[in-house]
Amino acid sequence: MAIVSVRDQTLKQAAQIIKEGGLVAMPTETVYGLACNALNEAAVQNVFLVKGRPAINPVIIHVSALVDVHKIAHVTPLAQKIAAHFWPGALTMVLPRRDNSGLSALCTAGLETVAVRFPSNTIARKLIQMSGVPLAAPSANISGTISPTSPRHVFDSLGDKVDMILAGGACETGLESTVVDVTGDIPIILRYGVVTQEHLEHVLGGEVQDGVAQTTHITSPGQLLKHYAPTIPLRRNAVDVAPDEALLAFGSIKFMGIITGGAVSDLPADQIRNLSESGDLEEAAKNLFSYMRDLDTSKFKSIAVMNIPNEGVGVALNDRLLRASQK
Ligand code: TXA
Ligand code: MG
């Protein structure tokens, strides 16, 4: 089994694997990443191969210090301000790429820009430091499927195709980082995450554009692909549930009924997961992918998801659920 507990010795081994062009699944505060040396073309190619990821979809480069960002990208004053406030953390910046970045062309899908993230997870940061190179790390799952928030999820998805899976427990935030295009004067959100538009506007004291809602501005390749999909259908804003359907609840289930009669509280425990009984959106984000996986079994016809308020982190949750429900 490729899953190992995190110790000094296993971290050293992981760094050695990266240096030799291998693949290591590492925990981050958002989701598990499939990491490799971003400067090594063959290694990056292998990441795309293992994930079945289309070559048009560029990956995020992970660093553990600001100086390392300067080596691969042009850091504008606006980017510096965002970094000062949100890094290390669950935010990725798309920046103009340096010509001499040394990055494999596959990382950036031939674009003039590069997506960079400085994670807060200490295991990820140690691995980046010990590897001595920037790490390309897309989520550690087969492209298009539910993102992994535990080492077990990684193993279930990728098995022995990964040289090592570092077991760093469940991810803290549970949703991929917010991706922000910082190549111009006004930041544009390309992927929603726990760092919200209001958050950014508040800190920057100026306008931040929503590039996800404005679908005319598609600069994030792969933005519109089907994503996060369970193997069984998923329907949103459910007000009741069929007897052979799983329920992904949010908040109180007091008023949820079974279509053929009866209360959902009578359903077997394995047919229901509640993202947050108290209606806490951050708790729901942490649980979303894990609970979707729990309910994604052929025992059920589909997954019915209760309404989630479209505010704050709820915007990111609804975005993931909408993509998961695409046919
Ligand atoms: O939380 C995360 O960001 C996780 C963890 C492992 O760090 N990583 C992750 O990577 O979600 P990935 O490869 O699954 O998602 C990368 C996202 C995609 O939406 C991609 O289109 C966008 O970032 N992206 C990457 N490079 C870009 C670029 N140069 N311009 C625009 N979008 C870019
Ligand atoms: Mg992904």
Side-chain angles (χ1 to χ4, degrees):
M1 157 105 53
I3 300 181
V4 301
S5 58
V6 180
R7 285 173 280 120
D8 284 349
Q9 194 207 351
T10 48
L11 272 172
K12 257 188 217 153
Q13 285 168 357
Q16 191 57 34
I17 291 171
I18 298 276
K19 286 177 191 164
E20 288 167 5
L23 312 186
V24 174
M26 66 172 181
T28 82
E29 66 277 22
T30 58
V31 300
Y32 272 72
L34 183 58
C36 77
N37 177 357
L39 312 176
N40 181 329
E41 181 85 4
V44 179
Q45 199 159 19
N46 208 12
V47 163
F48 275 80
L49 202 73
V50 163
K51 278 183 60 74
R53 184 179 179 102
I56 53 148
N57 197 2
V59 294
I60 296 172
I61 310 301
H62 295 64
V63 297
S64 59
L66 260 179
V67 287
D68 295 328
V69 183
H70 290 274
K71 291 180 197 158
I72 55 177
H74 297 284
V75 184
T76 60
L78 177 62
Q80 249 155 19
K81 199 167 169 186
I82 294 175
H85 200 275
F86 292 99
W87 277 357
L91 177 132
T92 295
M93 280 197 269
V94 172
L95 299 168
R97 181 171 51 80
R98 272 194 192 283
D99 286 339
N100 59 351
S101 69
L103 295 169
S104 144
L106 263 174
C107 289
T108 54
L111 298 169
E112 299 288 301
T113 54
V114 58
V116 192
R117 178 157 115 76
F118 181 169
S120 64
N121 181 287
T122 48
I123 299 167
R125 286 164 67 171
K126 273 192 193 153
L127 180 63
I128 301 165
Q129 269 159 22
M130 291 167 75
S131 303
V133 288
L135 300 187
S139 50
N141 58 315
I142 300 288
S143 200
T145 66
I146 305 169
S147 292
T149 54
S150 80
R152 166 56 59 180
H153 295 162
V154 178
F155 186 78
D156 289 347
S157 197
L158 303 176
D160 292 325
K161 292 183 195 141
V162 187
D163 295 308
M164 186 187 270
I165 301 172
L166 287 170
C171 299
E172 248 169 69
T173 56
L175 284 186
E176 298 84 353
S177 60
T178 305
V179 178
V180 190
D181 181 334
V182 195
T183 55
D185 294 335
I186 299 173
I188 305 166
I189 295 179
L190 302 180
R191 180 173 72 185
Y192 300 129
V194 293
V195 175
T196 63
Q197 183 177 5
E198 301 89 75
H199 232 125
L200 278 157
E201 284 182 337
H202 179 74
V203 166
L204 300 174
E207 188 199 354
V208 172
Q209 279 177 11
D210 182 342
V212 186
Q214 298 158 13
T215 42
T216 46
H217 186 97
I218 300 169
T219 57
S220 195
Q223 200 172 301
L224 296 178
L225 299 177
K226 176 172 172 164
H227 245 99
Y228 317 106
T231 55
I232 59 175
L234 179 145
R235 66 181 180 97
R236 301 162 66 225
N237 303 324
V239 292
D240 50 20
V241 58
D244 53 356
E245 235 182 352
L247 174 65
L248 187 57
F250 177 79
S252 170
I253 56 167
K254 214 162 47 183
F255 300 109
M256 287 292 284
I258 303 172
I259 292 169
T260 48
V264 295
S265 49
D266 297 335
L267 292 172
D270 69 349
Q271 203 163 341
I272 307 181
R273 287 287 179 278
N274 199 328
L275 291 168
S276 169
E277 279 175 32
S278 66
D280 181 305
L281 292 167
E282 254 131 43
E283 184 185 11
K286 181 173 173 149
N287 291 328
L288 179 70
F289 291 147
S290 181
Y291 287 180
M292 269 168 71
R293 279 177 186 257
D294 287 348
L295 300 177
D296 185 16
T297 105
S298 54
K299 266 199 301 198
F300 308 124
K301 182 191 72 172
S302 51
I303 302 173
V305 189
M306 282 169 68
N307 178 266
I308 293 174
N310 206 41
E311 62 199 26
V313 178
V315 174
L317 284 161
N318 280 314
D319 169 82
R320 301 305 192 272
L321 287 167
L322 176 66
R323 287 164 208 269
S325 68
Q326 273 346 277
K327 297 223 172 61

